[in-house]
């Protein structure tokens, strides 16, 4: 008595996969298809890791200078001259209590000119208070250290960029002249000491412009009282909720003030970052298409190679779908094997890049010194799932060739 497995299609597929493929003309085709799947998935994972890593790095740099949300007087224009508002506001506690808000800090800005040994450079002084979050600048500090804001008086220290230091030949500890126009219309010259030098790679946008100073210095230049600031900066935990939290903040502050998020204040930069998503989608779509075509070619070769077996199975009573499943199981196995190697290759390259920074970039063009990597497990799982589902669906139609093979002709074909 012959025992036939319930799922004999899977049984036969396993026997084919465990058999000796030497001498069969399908062997190189199958290997090429597996290689195509491996390289395709590796390119998709690398594309997502690099694109999202690049977006995150640039976004974090822009946010580091301007926070996620900025609150100021509603009458302000886009210049660096802000109308003062009171530092103590009744809505601040409500904003801090909003779910997703991480930190709220005061700020003030003032345009000026920095002079050192006969050379000058236009700057924007950003005044920070004791509540300023230094984490971004501490991470990007290349020399010296940050300064501490005093409870009273003006801290005679500033933090400048590496670009400014290189252009004017300034070192940590140098006392430079900073000129600006006071509220009275008289030019004022101060000689703060450079306590630290930062570098973010965001040249014309930020590094060539911004220096950090005590907010008390900005108050004095503007003729403000100790209780006045230009506005408040809000840092949030989840960037994906930025629009939602901006609306919530606007709802708390009233009509006298306005809250704008970093995307509104830097539309060109974020439009450029958004365009990278389209590039990633195009690359992923092309790689899936190529991988699917490779597997279709391999499937057709496997079917033609085993035409005799197909005829025998049909002669024994197998229906078309059961025979088709034999080859679909084979194809899915080959896809899985290719995906395994694709994951190993891509994750290995990503980890090596994160650890050693093997691939570098021109900071002048890309704002980064090396290729950034964002290795997200969710992205990897979605790419793997999408690849195997789409490739398998693409194989269903070509597998219909089995239905055109008749037992008589197939058995005679050898």
């Amino acid at each position: 008595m012959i025992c036939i497995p319930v799922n004999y299609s899977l049984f036969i597929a396993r026997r084919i996969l465990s058999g000796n493929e030497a001498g069969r003309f399908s062997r190189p085709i199958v290997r090429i298809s597996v290689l195509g799947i491996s390289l395709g998935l590796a390119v998709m994972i690398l594309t997502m890791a690099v694109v999202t890593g690049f977006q995150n790095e640039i976004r974090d740099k822009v946010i580091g200078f301007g926070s996620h949300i900025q609150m100021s007087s509603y009458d302000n224009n886009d210049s660096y001259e802000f109308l003062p508002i009171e530092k103590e506001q009744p809505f601040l506690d409500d904003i801090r209590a909003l779910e997703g808000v991480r930190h709220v800090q005061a700020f003030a800005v003032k345009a000026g000119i920095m002079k050192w040994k006969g050379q000058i450079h236009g700057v924007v002084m950003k005044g920070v208070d004791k509540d300023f979050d230094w984490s971004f600048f501490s991470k990007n500090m290349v020399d010296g250290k940050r300064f501490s804001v005093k409870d009273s008086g003006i801290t005679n220290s500033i933090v400048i960029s590496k670009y400014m230091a290189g252009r004017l030949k300034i070192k940590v500890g140098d006392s430079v002249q900073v000129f600006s126009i006071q509220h009275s219309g008289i030019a004022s010259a101060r000689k703060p000491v450079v306590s630290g030098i930062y570098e973010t790679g965001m040249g014309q946008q930020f590094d060539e412009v911004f220096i950090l100073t005590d907010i008390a210095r900005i108050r004095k230049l503007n003729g403000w009282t100790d209780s006045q600031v230009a506005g408040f900066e809000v840092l949030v935990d989840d960037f994906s909720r930025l629009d939602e939290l901006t609306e919530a903040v606007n709802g708390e502050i009233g009509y006298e003030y306005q809250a704008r998020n970093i995307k509104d204040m830097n539309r060109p930069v974020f439009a450029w970052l958004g365009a990278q998503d389209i590039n990633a989608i195009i690359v992923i779509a092309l790689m899936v298409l190529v991988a699917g075509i490779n597997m279709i070619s391999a499937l057709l070769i496997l079917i033609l190679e085993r035409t005799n077996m197909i005829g025998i199975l049909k002669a024994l009573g197998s229906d078309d779908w059961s025979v088709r499943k034999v080859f679909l199981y084979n194809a899915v196995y080959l896809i899985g094997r290719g995906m395994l190697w694709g994951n190993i290759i891509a994750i290995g390259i990503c980890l090596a890049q994160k650890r050693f920074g093997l691939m570098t970039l021109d900071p002048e063009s890309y704002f980064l010194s090396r290729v950034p990597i964002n290795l997200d497990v969710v992205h990897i799982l979605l790419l793997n799932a999408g690849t195997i589902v789409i490739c398998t669906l693409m194989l269903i139609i070509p597998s219909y060739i089995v239905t055109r093979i008749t037992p008589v002709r197939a058995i005679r074909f050898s």
Side-chain angles (χ1 to χ4, degrees):
M1 182 176 179
I2 300 175
C3 294
I4 301 176
V6 176
N7 191 352
Y8 66 88
S9 298
L10 179 60
F11 174 78
I12 296 172
R14 285 176 174 172
R15 293 293 298 238
I16 293 173
L17 292 171
S18 63
N20 184 7
E21 297 294 325
R24 294 188 179 275
F25 67 90
S26 66
R27 186 173 185 179
I29 304 298
V30 168
R31 286 183 172 178
I32 291 173
S33 299
V34 172
L35 179 62
I37 291 286
S38 301
L39 295 180
L41 182 60
V43 169
M44 287 188 280
I45 293 175
L46 287 171
T47 298
M48 285 297 295
V50 172
V51 169
T52 57
F54 185 79
Q55 290 175 327
N56 290 345
E57 286 285 335
I58 300 299
R59 185 188 69 196
D60 290 346
K61 290 177 185 292
V62 176
I63 292 169
F65 280 94
S67 74
H68 293 93
I69 303 171
Q70 187 180 96
M71 296 181 291
S72 61
S73 172
Y74 196 84
D75 295 329
N76 285 327
N77 51 35
D78 291 330
S79 71
Y80 292 112
E81 296 297 328
F82 284 76
L83 294 177
I85 62 177
E86 290 299 317
K87 182 179 178 181
E88 299 298 329
Q89 295 288 345
F91 54 73
L92 289 179
D93 289 337
D94 294 329
I95 291 174
R96 292 189 180 99
L98 290 174
E99 182 182 357
V101 170
R102 172 162 54 89
H103 184 63
V104 179
Q105 60 193 24
F107 78 97
V109 292
K110 184 75 173 178
I113 296 175
M114 185 165 61
K115 182 179 179 181
W116 174 251
K117 293 183 178 180
Q119 298 187 75
I120 62 173
H121 182 76
V123 297
V124 173
M125 296 177 284
K126 179 172 181 178
V128 300
D129 210 343
K130 290 186 297 182
D131 58 359
F132 184 67
D133 185 349
W134 283 94
S135 55
F136 170 75
F137 285 95
S138 296
K139 184 176 66 175
N140 290 279
M141 202 75 70
V142 295
D143 194 11
K145 60 182 181 180
R146 66 184 182 89
F147 58 84
S148 299
V149 178
K150 301 177 181 178
D151 291 328
S152 61
I154 300 176
T155 302
N156 194 39
S157 299
I158 59 172
V159 171
I160 67 173
S161 70
K162 184 179 179 180
Y163 172 85
M164 299 175 193
R167 187 175 184 276
L168 303 182
K169 303 297 187 292
I170 300 173
K171 303 184 299 297
V172 170
D174 287 339
S175 181
V176 299
Q177 284 185 301
V178 180
F179 296 88
S180 59
I181 303 299
Q182 288 185 313
H183 67 286
S184 60
I186 301 174
S188 174
R190 304 290 174 178
K191 298 189 69 175
V193 176
V194 176
S195 67
I197 298 174
Y198 72 86
E199 182 185 27
T200 68
M202 298 291 287
Q204 294 181 354
Q205 284 76 14
F206 302 108
D207 284 30
E208 296 182 14
V209 179
F210 281 92
I211 67 175
L212 301 182
T213 186
D214 190 339
I215 195 172
R217 185 184 303 278
I218 309 298
R219 289 192 183 113
K220 185 173 183 179
L221 291 171
N222 287 333
W224 296 350
T225 66
D226 292 342
S227 64
Q228 291 180 316
V229 296
F232 303 95
E233 295 177 331
V234 180
L235 300 175
V236 304
D237 292 318
D238 187 356
F239 185 81
S240 64
R241 296 185 58 206
L242 184 59
D243 292 330
E244 171 193 342
L245 288 170
T246 303
E247 291 184 10
V249 171
N250 268 314
E252 296 289 347
I253 61 180
Y255 69 92
E256 295 182 36
Y257 309 102
Q258 63 174 343
R260 298 186 300 166
N261 61 43
I262 197 68
K263 293 190 295 184
D264 294 330
M265 295 184 290
N266 293 273
R267 290 186 182 276
V269 174
F270 282 91
W272 173 54
L273 292 178
Q276 307 307 313
D277 292 332
I278 299 175
N279 296 335
I281 291 171
I282 292 174
V283 170
I284 291 172
L286 289 175
M287 290 299 101
V288 171
L289 181 62
V290 170
I293 292 174
N294 279 334
M295 286 312 305
I296 289 173
S297 302
L299 178 66
L300 294 177
I301 295 296
L302 289 172
I303 292 174
L304 292 175
E305 188 182 50
R306 290 177 172 77
T307 303
N308 186 266
M309 184 196 76
I310 294 171
I312 294 174
L313 289 175
K314 285 192 174 184
L316 292 173
S318 294
D319 57 80
D320 288 334
W321 175 237
S322 296
V323 179
R324 287 169 60 198
K325 284 195 297 183
V326 173
F327 297 97
L328 289 175
Y329 284 140
N330 272 272
V332 171
Y333 169 78
L334 296 175
I335 293 172
R337 192 166 72 179
M339 288 172 56
L340 174 63
W341 283 108
N343 280 284
I344 292 173
I345 293 170
I347 294 174
I349 292 175
C350 287
L351 293 177
Q353 176 63 21
K354 285 177 70 73
R355 178 66 178 82
F356 303 106
L358 304 176
M359 293 174 282
T360 60
L361 295 172
D362 179 11
E364 295 293 329
S365 301
Y366 298 97
F367 310 124
L368 299 170
S369 59
R370 65 181 188 176
V371 175
I373 296 294
N374 176 38
L375 202 57
D376 193 315
V377 176
V378 175
H379 292 164
I380 295 175
L381 293 177
L382 289 176
L383 288 173
N384 277 270
T387 299
I388 194 167
V389 169
I390 294 174
C391 288
T392 302
L393 291 176
M394 290 176 68
L395 295 176
I396 291 177
I397 295 178
S399 70
Y400 269 105
I401 195 173
V402 170
T403 65
R404 307 300 298 272
I405 300 175
T406 61
V408 175
R409 292 181 180 179
I411 294 173
R412 290 168 57 187
F413 178 81
S414 60

